[in-house]
Amino acid sequence: MPRLTVAQAVVTFLARQWSERDGVRRRLVPACFGIFGHGNVAGIGEALASADVDLPYHLCRTEQGMVHTAAAYARMTDRLSTLACTTSIGPGATNLVTGAAGATINRLPVLLLPGDIFATRVANPVLQELEDPRSYDVSVTDALRPVSRYWDRINRPEQLPAALLAAMRVLTDPVETGAVTLALPQDVQAEAYDWPDDLFADRVWHVPRPRPDASAVTRAAGLVTAARRPLLVAGGGVIYSGACDALRAFAETHGVPVAQTQAGTGALPYDHPLSLGAIGVTGTTAANAVAAGADVVIGIGTRYSDFTTASGTLFGEDARFVNLNVTGFDAAKLSGAQVVGDARESLTALDAACGGWATGSAYRAEVAELARRWAAVAEAARRSAPDARPSQTAVIGAVNDAAGPRDVVVCAAGSMPGDLHRLWRSADPKSYHVEYGYSCMGYEIAGGIGVKLAAPDREVFVLVGDGSYLMLPAELVTAVADGVKLIVVLVDNQGFASIGRLSESVGAQRLGTAYTDRSGGRLPVDLGANAASFGARLIRAGTTAQLRDALAAARAADGTTVIHVETDRFEAGPEGGAWWDVPVAEVSTTTAARAARAGYEAGRKGRRRHLHPG
């Protein structure tokens, strides 16, 4: 029975955990990111430094950023692998909350190991302790409870084995996965204990492919084969399950067009004849027009966010839903017929149950024409004159042209994800990585590191606006220090383009959305120089031609390059025609807000409840 500290036991255990699916085994937690303080340096820090195990440590610069990196790594590996994140107590622990929320919302496994106050309480209040008069057992790590799928505090060494096993179960469960938190009191981390040998044996966590119920598939097939205008909506679950080939086979066999959510983009190649591209608020006119007229909507691995459903206004009143999802929670949405199981297995079963049924030629011709019209609009938006300052959509076009079919674009918040969703041409299921479940500003650079660590053979293009860049630029230092090559395109439009337009649409007159001083003048801030000060190579691009040259140079470079390009925040890309529910002031002294309220009232009249029994 080895005698180890609790922290040493955690590190030794993690180094011997594996995941397996379809006969392929990989490390479940291959590395640990962290920032050390008094709450973890003598525990997890000492263990990582002294333990003779394969668990490399990476220094990051922000606690929130390290969780974004872990989540991006997990997404890139289809949720079969993730990273551990360790912090001290106090602000180090609370800084994890935003990243943990994003991971849980996006159903991505991350392992959080924050330090905590003394379990013995002999020294309380310790530095950074939150004193709650209701109980001495409350600490700031309790803030992680609502954003974690599993949370535990290890107050005694004897509690650790069961907690570790429970944590691994949740990390590898496609239904339950999300952020997992093991809060580790700093005195307990350093406490020694005699551990059973079996705790440190190699352990394989088999990730299942749950088969759907046969009767559920039969019921779903009855709805699908009665449809005249069906539509497939591919969500992230298609990609995580490796169901892209099954999706393509179903679409081609039965002549059903495919629209894709943000997380599902790339599930079907952009140039496939049955691909309608993006759906919903950030969707294409083609996908949204077909969605509005669809009689049966087959949702696969989607959680039907308000952006996908256009706040409940996109699909027709009489539309019926067939939902294939690994979670019953999501499968039951929109009163759909539920097929609960792995996306690949469920699609294959539904394909067989639908037999020789297929849509009519007239419907397929209509779909093709709508797609052709949108492609012309998109192509125009992606181009600008070589000697002109590029629009944001032209920046996307230039980056897309520079990227190879397996290269990855990373983005998160602002107006960029909407333009990307409509305009990016994805040829590979892993080429599009946009965090839009939480739409978290600051995700991009940290997420790009996770993508590159998971797929070092792919070029990673990080598209980040100036507002999001200023939220979390410091992870550029991590990329430089660890030799992680990123191509960062920093789009500077002197403000918040997306919220500026939204502010104007609700009558708030773009308040607080421009980067100006109190007199309205431009701030003397040079974001490119800031990026260069972190050690990145800087290239400035003032025209479309210069941008294309800069992208070529960045591809050829060995390390991280930041391309600083200015655009106009008032220049918007093409819209897909869908509505989004953002409540507008019911009373106001401004004409703009009153007019916006009238438009809001008209828009929400189109909301449907979709309560017809599935």
Side-chain angles (χ1 to χ4, degrees):
M1 299 181 74
R3 186 167 180 81
L4 303 170
T5 67
V6 166
Q8 292 163 359
V10 169
V11 168
T12 304
F13 175 87
L14 292 179
R16 292 169 180 161
Q17 304 306 298
W18 301 79
S19 70
E20 178 276 330
R21 189 176 73 176
D22 298 338
V24 178
R25 196 172 86 157
R26 67 178 72 202
R27 284 285 299 280
L28 177 56
V29 185
C32 180
F33 273 69
I35 296 177
F36 294 124
H38 69 283
N40 67 338
V41 66
I44 294 292
E46 186 280 335
L48 288 167
S50 66
D52 185 21
V53 295
D54 180 20
L55 192 69
Y57 165 74
H58 298 266
L59 170 64
C60 63
R61 273 68 195 175
T62 62
E63 292 88 357
Q64 177 181 328
M66 73 169 85
V67 188
H68 293 328
T69 297
Y73 187 96
R75 175 172 169 177
M76 203 64 189
T77 58
D78 290 331
R79 306 190 294 195
L80 299 171
S81 188
T82 188
L83 305 173
C85 302
T86 180
T87 73
S88 184
I89 73 172
T94 54
N95 284 347
L96 295 171
V97 172
T98 296
T104 295
I105 286 171
N106 286 299
R107 321 286 169 84
L108 295 170
V110 296
L111 177 60
L112 311 181
L113 304 172
D116 211 327
I117 58 177
F118 280 51
T120 57
R121 304 180 185 169
V122 295
N124 69 315
V126 297
L127 178 64
Q128 299 177 332
E129 178 174 350
L130 175 71
E131 292 189 271
D132 191 321
R134 296 169 298 177
S135 171
Y136 282 116
D137 193 44
V138 175
S139 83
V140 297
T141 60
D142 289 282
L144 286 158
R145 286 180 184 262
V147 294
S148 298
R149 294 295 289 170
Y150 177 81
W151 184 99
D152 203 355
R153 181 181 286 127
I154 312 303
N155 287 310
R156 292 292 307 141
E158 294 91 336
Q159 298 170 349
L160 183 65
L164 286 172
L165 295 175
M168 299 304 107
R169 177 191 64 80
V170 174
L171 289 175
T172 55
D173 186 337
V175 176
E176 295 293 330
T177 199
V180 168
T181 299
L182 295 180
L184 301 170
Q186 53 188 306
D187 54 342
V188 176
Q189 287 185 49
E191 187 174 345
Y193 186 76
D194 294 319
W195 305 95
D197 291 326
D198 286 347
L199 180 63
F200 306 120
D202 276 12
R203 194 179 303 269
V204 180
W205 298 85
H206 301 281
V207 180
R209 287 193 179 276
R211 268 63 172 179
D213 177 70
S215 60
V217 173
T218 300
R219 290 191 295 270
L223 284 171
V224 172
T225 55
R228 298 179 59 205
R229 302 177 62 84
L231 172 67
L232 284 158
V233 177
V238 175
I239 296 174
Y240 298 144
S241 171
C244 296
D245 289 343
L247 174 71
R248 182 173 190 153
F250 186 98
E252 291 176 349
T253 298
H254 306 293
V256 182
V258 178
Q260 299 166 61
T261 69
Q262 284 277 11
T265 298
L268 193 68
Y270 78 94
D271 55 353
H272 191 280
L274 288 166
S275 175
L276 292 169
I279 190 171
V281 177
T282 54
T284 70
T285 55
N288 289 344
V290 172
D295 52 2
V296 173
V297 178
I298 308 165
I300 310 164
T302 176
R303 61 191 187 95
Y304 286 116
S305 75
D306 65 336
F307 258 58
T308 298
T309 67
S311 300
T313 65
L314 184 60
F315 304 109
E317 185 72 44
D318 297 325
R320 305 287 295 278
F321 294 85
V322 173
N323 298 330
L324 284 59
N325 207 291
V326 74
T327 74
F329 178 79
D330 288 321
K333 290 178 178 176
L334 302 178
S335 196
Q338 303 172 47
V339 180
V340 179
D342 173 77
R344 191 185 75 183
E345 299 301 318
S346 298
L347 256 177
T348 301
L350 183 62
D351 188 3
C354 288
W357 167 83
T359 59
S361 59
Y363 178 57
R364 279 175 276 168
E366 176 189 343
V367 167
E369 176 59 20
L370 288 168
R372 185 194 64 78
R373 292 177 188 173
W374 170 256
V377 172
E379 181 60 23
R382 289 161 49 89
R383 304 297 171 198
S384 67
D387 58 349
R389 182 172 69 172
S391 63
Q392 181 168 277
T393 58
V395 169
I396 291 171
V399 174
N400 207 167
D401 290 345
R406 294 186 69 257
D407 295 338
V408 188
V409 64
V410 179
C411 191
S415 61
M416 197 99 69
D419 286 340
L420 278 166
H421 196 200
R422 295 187 189 97
L423 301 177
W424 190 264
R425 295 171 172 173
S426 295
D428 180 272
K430 290 296 181 183
S431 67
Y432 184 89
H433 186 111
V434 175
E435 191 287 292
Y436 214 58
Y438 206 38
S439 187
C440 185
M441 297 178 72
Y443 175 91
E444 294 91 340
I445 295 170
I449 293 172
V451 170
K452 187 66 175 181
L453 289 174
D457 60 329
R458 298 176 186 246
E459 294 286 0
V460 177
F461 293 81
V462 174
L463 278 172
V464 58
D466 48 1
S468 199
Y469 173 83
L470 284 168
M471 292 281 184
L472 210 64
E475 294 309 321
L476 273 176
V477 180
T478 304
V480 171
D482 278 9
V484 178
K485 179 187 176 183
L486 303 177
I487 300 172
V488 180
V489 182
L490 173 51
V491 179
D492 189 344
N493 54 29
Q494 292 293 300
F496 299 121
S498 174
I499 296 301
R501 287 196 286 274
L502 182 62
S503 173
E504 194 169 47
S505 74
V506 300
Q509 303 170 333
R510 291 184 177 261
L511 176 67
T513 62
Y515 290 157
T516 60
D517 59 25
R518 299 304 296 178
S519 67
R522 179 168 177 157
L523 290 175
V525 174
D526 188 337
L527 298 183
N530 173 262
S533 75
F534 288 143
R537 179 190 184 195
L538 173 66
I539 305 177
R540 299 186 190 271
T543 67
T544 302
Q546 291 172 355
L547 173 60
R548 292 182 178 275
D549 289 343
L551 289 164
R555 280 195 70 105
D558 292 330
T560 291
T561 300
V562 173
I563 301 170
H564 182 245
V565 55
E566 293 192 6
T567 63
D568 185 349
R569 70 177 179 276
F570 297 103
E571 189 173 357
E575 296 288 337
W579 183 72
W580 186 36
D581 190 346
V582 178
V584 180
E586 193 167 358
V587 294
S588 177
T589 59
T590 69
T591 301
R594 291 196 297 271
R597 179 68 191 194
Y600 175 72
E601 295 286 357
R604 69 179 185 174
K605 287 180 181 177
R607 182 181 286 113
R608 289 97 180 188
R609 301 294 296 275
H610 299 301
L611 298 177
H612 193 289

